[in-house]
Amino acid sequence: MLVEAAWSASRTKATYLSSKYRAFVARRGKKRALIAIGHKILLAAYHILKTGEKYMDLGADYLAKRHQDRQMQSALTKLQSLGYQVVLAKQ
């Protein structure tokens, strides 16, 4: 049942679980990604039942925003290793 719930969660749009599914698929494949999402659903259900808090979706862009500084530094390092001189300016 958890895999079925994970499958339907992966098909939703603009949710944390669907973006996490896509990230897992890129690294592990579809079947393992479904198991991992089912595990995340099980953990969320456990914590909801234990604490009584409401489920609050983090959003589809949570993963991208979370490591934004790391992604910027990685891109900067790659460009510098290719011989480019980079000047950063915030808009």
Side-chain angles (χ1 to χ4, degrees):
M1 288 184 358
L2 282 173
V3 174
E4 290 293 325
W7 183 250
S8 64
S10 70
R11 297 293 183 170
T12 58
K13 295 184 182 191
T15 62
Y16 169 73
L17 289 174
S18 66
S19 64
K20 196 67 175 170
Y21 172 77
R22 287 190 301 275
F24 281 145
V25 166
R27 288 192 313 256
R28 298 180 180 164
K30 290 181 181 180
K31 289 183 181 180
R32 287 186 181 207
L34 285 174
I35 298 298
I37 296 301
H39 184 255
K40 286 203 166 286
I41 291 171
L42 180 65
L43 287 177
Y46 171 78
H47 286 288
I48 288 169
L49 292 173
K50 183 179 177 183
T51 63
E53 293 180 22
K54 293 182 179 181
Y55 176 73
M56 202 164 166
D57 190 59
L58 297 173
D61 59 346
Y62 174 76
L63 296 173
K65 285 183 178 179
R66 192 173 113 198
H67 299 298
Q68 200 170 26
D69 57 336
R70 246 191 260 167
Q71 290 175 349
M72 185 212 36
Q73 189 62 37
S74 174
L76 179 65
T77 305
K78 287 178 186 178
L79 285 171
Q80 288 173 344
S81 70
L82 291 172
Y84 291 96
Q85 185 178 7
V86 180
V87 177
L88 297 177
K90 200 167 193 174
Q91 293 181 356

